[in-house]
């Protein structure tokens, strides 16, 4: 596959030159900005330097789009529910088919592998088969889980994945699950399987602190969030809360207010965020499933950094009821799992309409690729058109990122019949800045009164956005309309509207440019190191934020779904331009995005990526050797 960078008339991403600040320097700069930054013009200068004024001089004619829930057309329902390229099952039929297959496996107890035989990420199926065959019980697993949670805090550095948990609650759920298995009535294939939930989502009896040390203090949730209730109704063993970046305003998960989780593969490095604790829990083998929430990559970034699979669904696909409304027009909860089968299981459980969340009511039915169609045979993606914007794809800080992703694409094309289509996506810079303005503006409107109680990095970000004007937010929503209309062309909609294609071309010709998916690396850089100043005070590193979110923001801003799959691992030592050294063995993710409501196609392609990868490297912090 050719890795050359074609000339591009539209590529306009520029890396910022902002300095890195952490520790006491960050504290000083934050206090300075909050007190005299605005009257002295410093805050405005920093915002302009960060590109946050780029929309002010735009003469948009588009109306603003404030919530990107795409109303499905008949053609889109056809794509999202059934098409000639994918055999599909409705969500409940998919769960039933997997459970029936696992029941058959459980009857052949010799086929059920022990977790201690080798390093292997355990799955729902492993736990279910062990329970059904009588080799193990949920109570035994819960006891091992408690020991592992306690052990994870004793390693140096501490894994820091679990923030709020209760041993008695865990054991009580395990006893209830064990009774169901003993009676022959497990609720689903996820019954008795440990699941951890980001501290942004309500769990009955737990405080939802959203990564702070004061929000909801002494005010535990009175009921489960809708998605937690769905998981619980299927028998999932809810561990408790995972750590997160404070108020989700960052992608490192450096959090002096609670704790900073560590990357299981290289503990000196970040997990990514803001669902970093969820990524660390699954990446270390502590549990096979976690729930994160993604407003700017917060599911996909830690999934990629921690070597697991993560899905940001279409906006409106998963109910937001019970999710702390930090950034409601860009954020949505999604699964973070050690395997694609488990990700599919969780998606099938939590996706769907909720009569108490109007944003979820427009969606078409939830379907998944049939398990029988997910074979190891060649040609599984025959004719699937994958759009690649090579200039964007290769704009990474470490060349191995693009190389590893290209290697995965080679196999998808040569062995499985996918077709790569060269595309261009205009206004990436404007799209990214409009997303920045939107997400932080919405956080500011929610957190505005108690900003001084946050850590310094959060306060600095909010102080900058507080200086923006009303028209900046409105322009950002007009840019959102433009970005959505570009994607409508790219995915082949509005085909009978020549004016639309003239104004919002997919750049390369309508017929030639239409694609099923867009591919990028998941992240344009490797996980940053955790320095002492970052742990104690937080860290402001705008360049790192930009490179980390480079491929993330478009899906959040326009509402389309995106998935990250494990593409491989670094094989070369690397020194970053800031002097940080990177060892080999860091995971690299590959991201696919599809049109609205077409998660099934993302699940299909990520399943193939999992088959291509074949083997996974063992993390340095490994807690997954459960005795089943």
């Amino acid at each position: 596959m050719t890795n050359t960078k074609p000339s591009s008339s539209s590529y306009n991403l520029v890396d910022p030159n902002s300095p890195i600040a952490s520790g006491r320097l960050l504290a000083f700069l934050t206090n300075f900005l909050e007190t005299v930054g605005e009257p002295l013009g410093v805050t405005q200068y920093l915002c302009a330097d960060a590109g946050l004024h780029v929309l002010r001089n735009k003469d948009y004619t588009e109306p603003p789009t404030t919530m990107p829930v795409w109303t499905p057309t008949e053609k889109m329902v056809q794509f999202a529910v059934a098409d000639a390229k994918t055999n599909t099952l409705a969500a409940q039929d998919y769960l039933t088919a997997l459970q029936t297959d696992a029941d058959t496996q459980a009857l052949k107890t010799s086929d059920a592998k022990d977790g201690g035989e080798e390093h292997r990420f355990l799955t729902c199926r492993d736990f279910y088969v062990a329970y059904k065959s009588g080799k193990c019980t949920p109570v035994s697993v819960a006891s091992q889980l408690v020991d592992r949670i306690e052990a994870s805090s004793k390693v140096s550095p501490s894994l820091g994945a679990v923030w709020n948990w209760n041993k008695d609650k865990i054991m009580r759920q395990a006893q209830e699950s064990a009774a169901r298995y003993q009676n022959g009535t497990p609720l689903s294939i996820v019954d008795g399987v440990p699941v951890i939930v980001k501290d942004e989502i309500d769990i009955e009896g737990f405080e939802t602190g959203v990564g702070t040390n004061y929000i909801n203090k002494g005010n535990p949730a009175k009921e489960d969030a809708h998605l937690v209730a769905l998981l619980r109704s299927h028998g999932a063993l809810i561990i408790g809360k995972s750590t997160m970046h404070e108020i989700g305003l960052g992608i490192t998960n450096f959090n002096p207010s609670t704790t900073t989780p560590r990357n299981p593969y290289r503990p000196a490095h970040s997990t990514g965020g803001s669902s970093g604790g969820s990524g660390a829990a699954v990446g270390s083998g502590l549990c096979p499933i976690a729930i994160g929430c993604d407003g700017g990559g917060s599911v996909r970034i830690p999934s990629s950094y921690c070597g697991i699979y993560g899905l940001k669904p279409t906006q409106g696909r998963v109910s937001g009821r019970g999710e702390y409304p930090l950034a409601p027009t860009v954020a949505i909860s999604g699964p973070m799992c050690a395997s694609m089968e488990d990700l599919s299981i969780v998606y099938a459980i939590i996706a769907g309409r909720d009569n108490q969340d109007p944003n979820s009511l427009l969606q078409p039915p939830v379907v998944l690729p049939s398990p029988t169609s997910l074979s190891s045979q060649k040609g599984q993606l025959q004719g699937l058109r994958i759009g690649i914007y090579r200039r964007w794809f290769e704009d990474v800080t470490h060349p191995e990122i693009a190389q590893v992703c290209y290697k995965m694409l080679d196999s998808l094309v040569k062995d499985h019949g996918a077709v790569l289509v060269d595309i261009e996506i205009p206004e990436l810079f404007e799209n990214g800045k409009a997303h920045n303005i939107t997400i932080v503006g919405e956080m500011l409107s929610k957190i505005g009164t108690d900003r001084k109680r946050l850590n310094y990095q959060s306060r600095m970000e909010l102080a900058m956005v507080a200086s923006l004007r009303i028209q900046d937010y409105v322009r950002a929503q007009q840019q959102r309309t433009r970005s959505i209309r570009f994607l409508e062309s790219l995915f082949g909609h509005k085909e009978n509207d020549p004016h639309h294609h003239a104004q919002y071309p997919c750049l390369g010709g309508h017929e030639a440019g239409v694609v099923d998916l867009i591919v990028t690396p998941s992240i344009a850089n490797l996980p940053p190191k955790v320095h002492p100043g970052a742990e104690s005070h937080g860290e402001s590193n705008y360049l790192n934020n930009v490179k980390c979110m480079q491929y993330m923001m478009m899906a959040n801003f326009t509402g389309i779904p995106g998935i990250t799959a494990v593409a491989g691992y670094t094989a070369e030592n690397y020194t970053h331009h800031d002097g940080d050294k990177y060892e080999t063995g860091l995971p690299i993710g590959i991201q696919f995005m599809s049109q609205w409501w077409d998660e099934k196609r993302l699940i299909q392609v990520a399943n193939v990526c999992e088959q291509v990868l074949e083997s996974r490297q063992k993390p340095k912090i490994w807690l997954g050797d459960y005795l089943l």
Side-chain angles (χ1 to χ4, degrees), residues 107-151:
L107 293 174
K108 305 172 182 178
T109 55
S110 60
D111 290 342
K113 297 182 180 179
D114 291 329
E117 287 181 356
E118 56 181 313
H119 156 64
R120 187 169 63 88
F121 284 97
L122 296 176
T123 66
C124 283
R125 182 185 292 265
D126 292 313
F127 288 97
Y128 180 86
V129 168
Y131 298 156
K132 281 282 290 197
S133 66
K135 294 182 67 179
C136 186
T137 69
V139 173
S140 171
V141 164
S143 180
Q144 294 178 64
L145 171 66
V146 168
D147 290 343
R148 280 159 170 74
I149 294 172
E150 293 173 344

Side-chain angles (χ1 to χ4, degrees), residues 260-520:
T260 295
R262 299 299 188 115
N263 192 307
Y265 279 88
R266 294 295 178 265
H269 293 263
S270 165
T271 57
S274 61
S275 310
S278 293
V282 177
S284 66
L286 178 68
C287 56
I289 296 169
I291 298 296
C293 189
D294 192 316
S298 293
V299 161
R300 291 160 291 157
I301 291 168
S303 293
S304 178
Y305 276 170
C306 294
I308 60 174
Y309 298 83
L311 171 69
K312 185 216 86 79
T314 305
Q315 188 71 18
R317 181 62 101 174
V318 175
S319 172
R321 181 157 57 94
E323 175 189 305
Y324 197 87
L326 287 168
T329 78
V330 293
I332 187 169
S333 296
M336 303 168 66
C337 301
S339 71
M340 274 307 302
E341 183 173 273
D342 284 358
L343 184 146
S344 303
I345 289 169
V346 178
Y347 171 69
I349 291 172
I350 68 174
R353 297 179 180 181
D354 170 16
N355 289 331
Q356 297 184 54
D357 180 3
N359 290 325
S360 74
L361 300 180
L362 291 175
Q363 63 179 291
V366 180
V367 299
L368 296 94
S370 169
T372 57
S373 69
L374 300 174
S375 66
S376 58
Q377 297 178 350
K378 305 292 186 181
Q380 295 182 66
L381 305 176
Q382 197 67 44
L384 187 72
R385 294 173 65 82
I386 301 177
I388 180 169
Y389 188 0
R390 293 181 190 268
R391 178 78 180 272
W392 193 29
F393 191 97
E394 297 168 16
D395 187 3
V396 295
T397 63
H398 178 36
E400 271 196 285
I401 296 172
Q403 291 166 9
V404 167
C405 291
Y406 268 126
K407 183 179 178 181
M408 176 62 75
L409 285 177
D410 266 330
S411 184
L412 300 188
V413 171
K414 294 176 181 176
D415 298 331
H416 293 282
V419 178
L420 277 189
V421 180
D422 282 296
I423 62 172
E424 291 187 12
I425 303 173
E427 300 182 9
L428 288 171
F429 186 77
E430 291 83 355
N431 181 84
K433 298 311 170 187
H435 172 271
N436 291 161
I437 292 167
T438 301
I439 188 171
V440 186
E442 290 176 7
M443 289 177 175
L444 179 66
S445 71
K446 182 65 179 174
I447 308 291
T449 56
D450 285 318
R451 282 160 50 191
K452 290 292 181 73
R453 302 181 71 176
L454 299 171
N455 68 51
Y456 290 107
Q457 179 258 323
S458 302
R459 286 165 56 186
M460 175 176 273
E461 298 265 2
L462 294 176
M464 288 180 62
V465 172
S467 72
L468 295 178
R469 303 170 183 168
I470 294 173
Q471 58 262 44
D472 292 318
Y473 186 85
V474 174
R475 292 272 204 298
Q477 308 323 301
Q478 291 178 289
Q479 177 62 48
R480 171 143 50 186
T481 304
R482 289 181 63 78
S483 297
I484 288 172
R485 290 179 178 176
F486 283 123
L487 291 180
E488 286 177 327
S489 285
L490 194 61
F491 289 127
H493 299 287
K494 307 286 186 180
E495 65 269 25
N496 297 320
D497 186 348
H499 174 73
H500 178 96
H501 289 296
Q503 190 171 3
Y504 306 103
C506 48
L507 302 177
H510 173 53
E511 294 300 327
V514 171
V515 299
D516 299 309
L517 301 175
I518 302 167
V519 65
T520 69

Side-chain angles (χ1 to χ4, degrees), residues 7-178:
S7 61
S8 170
S9 60
S10 66
Y11 194 75
N12 63 353
L13 289 187
V14 179
D15 292 341
N17 295 314
S18 306
I20 300 171
S22 62
R24 293 182 179 179
L25 174 60
L26 176 62
F28 170 78
L29 291 174
T30 301
N31 286 318
F32 177 83
L33 282 183
E34 289 179 333
T35 54
V36 297
E38 186 66 21
L40 292 179
V42 176
T43 309
Q44 289 292 332
Y45 171 81
L46 291 174
C47 283
D49 187 60
L52 296 178
H53 294 172
V54 69
L55 306 179
R56 287 186 175 178
N57 297 321
K58 299 290 184 181
D59 185 20
Y60 290 128
T61 59
E62 291 81 5
T65 296
T66 53
M67 177 60 78
V69 179
W70 211 91
T71 303
T73 61
E74 182 178 348
K75 180 179 178 181
M76 179 159 291
V77 172
Q78 178 185 352
F79 279 140
V81 175
D83 64 84
K85 297 177 184 176
T86 312
N87 295 321
T88 60
L89 286 177
Q92 188 54 53
D93 293 337
Y94 175 84
L95 293 172
T96 300
L98 286 184
Q99 188 172 0
T100 300
D101 186 60
D103 284 336
T104 302
Q105 187 177 342
L107 293 174
K108 305 172 182 178
T109 55
S110 60
D111 290 342
K113 297 182 180 179
D114 291 329
E117 287 181 356
E118 56 181 313
H119 156 64
R120 187 169 63 88
F121 284 97
L122 296 176
T123 66
C124 283
R125 182 185 292 265
D126 292 313
F127 288 97
Y128 180 86
V129 168
Y131 298 156
K132 281 282 290 197
S133 66
K135 294 182 67 179
C136 186
T137 69
V139 173
S140 171
V141 164
S143 180
Q144 294 178 64
L145 171 66
V146 168
D147 290 343
R148 280 159 170 74
I149 294 172
E150 293 173 344
S152 72
S153 65
K154 296 175 183 176
V155 294
S156 183
S158 168
L159 179 65
V162 184
W163 172 238
N164 194 356
W165 64 288
N166 182 286
K167 178 180 177 180
D168 292 340
K169 290 178 184 289
I170 289 174
M171 297 309 298
R172 183 165 59 252
Q173 292 176 84
Q175 290 160 4
E176 292 169 355
S177 177

